[in-house]
Amino acid sequence: MQKQSSGEELLATRNMDLHILDHRLRVTSISKNGLVNFTHPLIKLIFLRNRTRCKFFSLTETPENYTVVLDEEGFKELRPSEHLQVESAIWLPLNVVSNGSASSSSQAVGVTKIAKSVIAPLAQQHVSVFMLSTYQTDFILVKEKDLSVVVSTLEEEFNIYKEEGGESVPVHCQDVSNGLHKNGREAIQPTVHPVLIPKNQFCVMSLDPDTLPSIATTLIDVLFYSSSPKEDPQPSPSQDCVKFFSFSLIDGYISLVMDTEAQRQFPADLLFTSSSGELWRMVRIGGQPLGFDECGIVAQISQPLADSDISAYYISTFSFDHALVPEEDIVSVTDMLQHQRNEPATS
């Protein structure tokens, strides 16, 4: 696989557009033992699109909890509860597109192709990001209050547009804020977080929304009834497999990430994946819950993967981050991350 030179990459990014999508998102967490209080609204948001105005919905199960990312219309469906944690910020989803469609110019897919042009510059400006890769594209979520910094940081590389009422309106620094455009703090050495590499093999798949009713009972079973009450919420480094299932329904497109064990429960003729049928392995980032203010967590993983031109999907959750890399690359990725942890910090 041929890598792009820095000059080629710069030229490529200048041919790309960055869209600020017309969604204002909340990032929430539902506890495992509190799920029973939310099955009614979640079933409505997943299956009954004609009964809700929600256009951006993502539900990810991990051993700790269920992370639910949804727009303000969807958020109205979740009642306050001791089992519901809500991150305080409003998040805006960004999407990189090329020639009017989702970028596919690089042979590497996922977060890798935007690591140097988007992820790294935002980390240098102390902008924390929340990533959500789907079968179709990659969403970079930034806090609404950071938008002026985001625009000023990326406007030299991208044509930036804000979607408003179905129209794409050009955005410039002066349009966003008259305030401080750069955070202006010195770059700090990011924390190198420990990683866990479970043995599950994962699939990144999609589904025609019209066939969603055909898998409804299976999806309900997998999402709401497959967890054991005795399941250990804190995976240990020696644990073979980690529970992880992600379902997204965003602007009418469905994306599913599941391991091969879960995949076997679904009808094979309804779910589709890339023509190569690639299997993925997970790199789970964080020893303790990561929080939402630290910057550079995504860059810690995406930068070395981009240097090696290794594809990666990346899904942030309320507690931890998760990168998915091709199974054939897991050994080199493991070595790369081990080397990164052993490198002395540089100022």
Side-chain angles (χ1 to χ4, degrees):
M1 192 178 287
Q2 190 171 355
K3 294 170 65 177
Q4 290 180 318
S5 69
S6 57
E8 288 171 329
E9 182 174 323
L10 183 62
L11 182 61
T13 57
R14 282 180 175 161
N15 291 329
M16 292 183 186
D17 298 336
L18 183 75
H19 285 245
I20 305 163
L21 303 183
D22 194 11
H23 301 291
R24 300 179 79 240
L25 305 178
R26 304 307 299 265
V27 178
T28 72
S29 168
I30 298 172
S31 66
K32 285 292 183 85
N33 60 358
L35 180 67
V36 65
N37 301 290
F38 292 94
T39 49
H40 186 272
L42 291 176
I43 286 173
K44 179 180 178 181
L45 289 163
I46 294 170
F47 298 108
L48 305 177
R49 285 175 292 160
N50 62 326
R51 291 186 175 271
T52 174
R53 295 167 65 184
C54 179
K55 302 297 183 188
F56 194 112
F57 173 84
S58 176
L59 170 66
T60 302
E61 181 185 4
T62 61
E64 300 76 28
N65 49 40
Y66 293 84
T67 296
V68 183
V69 181
L70 68 182
D71 61 22
E72 291 176 309
E73 288 293 333
F75 184 63
K76 292 175 184 175
E77 304 284 349
L78 303 183
R79 293 183 178 178
S81 163
E82 62 180 332
H83 300 290
L84 178 70
Q85 288 182 269
V86 181
E87 207 284 315
S88 59
I90 298 290
W91 296 77
L92 304 177
L94 314 179
N95 186 219
V96 174
V97 297
S98 177
N99 299 321
S101 60
S103 172
S104 58
S105 58
S106 172
Q107 288 177 302
V109 301
V111 72
T112 302
K113 65 180 180 286
I114 55 172
K116 294 183 179 181
S117 59
V118 180
I119 304 299
L122 292 182
Q124 289 164 5
Q125 289 299 321
H126 306 274
V127 174
S128 58
V129 300
F130 187 98
M131 283 297 306
L132 179 59
S133 293
T134 67
Y135 177 85
Q136 292 83 13
T137 189
D138 302 280
F139 297 100
I140 310 126
L141 276 58
V142 299
K143 295 177 182 177
E144 191 173 49
K145 68 180 180 63
D146 290 333
L147 186 59
S148 61
V149 180
V150 171
V151 171
S152 64
T153 301
L154 301 179
E155 68 176 351
E156 290 183 13
E157 300 289 338
F158 294 93
N159 303 310
I160 302 179
Y161 298 90
K162 183 168 176 51
E163 294 188 0
E164 296 178 352
E167 298 290 324
S168 295
V169 181
V171 173
H172 303 285
C173 245
Q174 60 269 25
D175 301 329
V176 180
S177 169
N178 294 322
L180 180 66
H181 290 155
K182 297 280 186 180
N183 277 338
R185 291 176 287 171
E186 286 188 20
I188 56 172
Q189 186 70 18
T191 303
V192 178
H193 291 280
V195 299
L196 172 70
I197 301 178
K199 293 183 179 177
N200 318 46
Q201 297 171 310
F202 288 89
C203 313
V204 181
M205 313 190 80
S206 188
L207 173 77
D208 183 340
D210 292 337
T211 64
L212 185 58
S214 304
I215 66 161
T217 53
T218 304
L219 191 55
I220 289 171
D221 187 17
V222 170
L223 277 174
F224 301 133
Y225 296 99
S226 64
S227 295
S228 164
K230 297 180 180 178
E231 189 175 275
D232 183 4
Q234 293 296 331
S236 64
S238 61
Q239 188 167 323
D240 285 347
C241 295
V242 165
K243 178 73 177 180
F244 188 91
F245 186 96
S246 185
F247 172 91
S248 299
L249 176 54
I250 300 172
D251 291 328
Y253 292 96
I254 293 175
S255 176
L256 299 121
V257 179
M258 68 186 84
D259 65 14
T260 50
E261 182 178 347
Q263 181 199 11
R264 285 192 286 270
Q265 300 181 52
F266 289 88
D269 59 330
L270 293 181
L271 300 179
F272 53 87
T273 184
S274 63
S275 57
S276 61
E278 198 156 27
L279 292 175
W280 302 78
R281 291 285 298 277
M282 177 181 288
V283 178
R284 178 182 152 104
I285 301 104
Q288 298 293 325
L290 297 170
F292 293 91
D293 294 322
E294 185 180 338
C295 308
I297 299 172
V298 181
Q300 171 191 327
I301 300 295
S302 63
Q303 189 73 33
L305 293 177
D307 289 340
S308 299
D309 207 23
I310 295 174
S311 297
Y313 292 94
Y314 199 104
I315 299 176
S316 302
T317 62
F318 206 87
S319 300
F320 298 102
D321 282 9
H322 309 79
L324 294 170
V325 300
E327 185 173 39
E328 63 265 24
D329 293 318
I330 192 63
V331 173
S332 58
V333 169
T334 303
D335 292 343
M336 186 188 309
L337 296 175
Q338 184 64 42
H339 176 71
Q340 185 183 55
R341 281 189 62 76
N342 293 337
E343 272 189 344
T346 57
S347 57

